[in-house]
Amino acid sequence: MTNEQDKETTHTPVKDEHISPVTKEFIEELIKREAEADKLEAETRGCEKKIKQMKNSNSWRKTRKARKFISGKAEREAYIKELELQTAMLETELHQIKEKLRNMEFSNQKIDYQTIWRMAQEKKQDGSLIEHLDKMIAAKELRDMNHQQFLQAAARLFINENPIYKKTVYEKILTGLNQEDIPEFMVRAALSDEQVSLHQAASFRGSLTARMRKLQLTGSLPEMVLDDKKIAYQFMDMLHISSPRIDEKEYKLSEIEERENIVIKPVDGAGARGVYLVYRNDDIIDVREAKSVPNFTVLRRNMERDLEAGRVDRDAWLVEELITEDAKAHTPARDVKFYCFYGKVGIVLEIVRYPELKYCWWTATGERVSTGKYEYSSFEGKGVTEEEIKMAEEISREIPAPFIRIDFLRGEENLVFGELTPKPGNYDEFDTPTDKWLGDFYLEAEARLEQDLLSGKEFHYYKQLLKNINE
């Protein structure tokens, strides 16, 4: 719907200029106070008008004699105070009723996940889950539509307001809108000299999910080729990156022989499911469960259970060299996972898996950060060096994709390549600030990649890898 008041002059885009929290709080308070002042002024004018109308009315003239019975000033003041008290009581009651209705309408009490899980389980067991889902989805669609339209209406009210007020209100409203719900007139303001930031429109979750939709539509993406561990090792060899020695053969469970200092992992595994570190026959670690396995016989039984339970998709296993952080102490190598955005590291995950599973997040500049993931088992890790960051960034620059996670193991002397991960598990669990932050990394990476492709970048190593695979 076109609205004449929505028209704005578009100017040359400028970089985001963020208002400090203190300034933003002051501006919001100023907007509130000005609105209150305008309201009081309007109410005063309204009262004056009503008094004038009342004094000119027939009723006022007809009750002139009755008013004389309230002869004294004290009696008149008492009468007025009584009316004022009754009015105040009615206003309080009305406010309470409105507040109750508002709470009923907009109630959004947070319920812990275990309670929600039990509720869903009960509805599944009594056969009402599908019906309940239909009702919830319909209610959510209606609620979301009302929510979206109210925020858009609020934004329209500030189209022609003071630019500082407009920027403050728009950026607040953007925090409550999904990317696809942001109206064009707000985007227009962001691309003008209003300097409204569209940071809230960025989402790592959204970008990665959209990327997987592209995979569904096209059947292939450049980075998905590298999801195959053996192909990824070939690529690392071409880039002269240290990798574990790996058997050429893919094994069935029955074909794996007892050997020392090896890692057994599923060909299609993820999240350390079905990964076992074998130091000796009587010294084996189940990486996923972070527990020891007494011998090879029990190991085979555990691997069979992995297949039966679906933790491992198929009976196809890789055997590779065991990398340790300290060979004498039998300390398993910790994981170091670089979230890479075409030539830039956004964040780094460090994992110690044994004897206790622990996680630590780092920025590319070496600060520890909280991301909303694995908060229950965080620890102070060792971090990474500038040279390691640079190495990960150089690898990602050779892959024609906006994002890929590059996983390493920390060996005794250096990082040893582990695998390439186009779609990390549970990437939806990052908290909102981290999701927006990584979302900006993703969008910038897309822009850099597009520019390099337009400039004729060849991606020589990647193309040579494809040629080797197809020969």
Side-chain angles (χ1 to χ4, degrees), residues 449-465:
L449 176 58
E450 288 167 1
Q451 188 57 53
D452 280 357
L453 289 169
L454 287 171
S455 300
K457 183 171 178 178
E458 290 290 334
F459 292 98
H460 169 75
Y461 292 110
Y462 181 82
K463 287 184 177 178
Q464 183 61 49
L465 176 71

Side-chain angles (χ1 to χ4, degrees), residues 93-140:
E93 186 178 349
L94 181 62
H95 175 75
Q96 290 173 346
I97 291 170
K98 285 182 176 179
E99 191 67 27
K100 186 176 180 180
L101 287 171
R102 192 180 298 112
N103 289 339
M104 288 172 65
E105 186 176 1
F106 296 104
S107 176
N108 189 25
Q109 185 179 355
K110 185 174 176 62
I111 306 172
D112 67 272
Y113 183 77
Q114 289 304 319
T115 301
I116 291 173
W117 173 267
R118 286 194 296 272
M119 289 166 60
Q121 200 170 39
E122 287 170 6
K123 293 189 179 300
K124 181 175 181 292
Q125 289 169 353
D126 66 22
S128 65
L129 181 60
I130 299 300
E131 182 183 356
H132 188 74
L133 285 174
D134 288 338
K135 288 180 180 178
M136 280 192 69
I137 292 166
K140 180 181 183 300

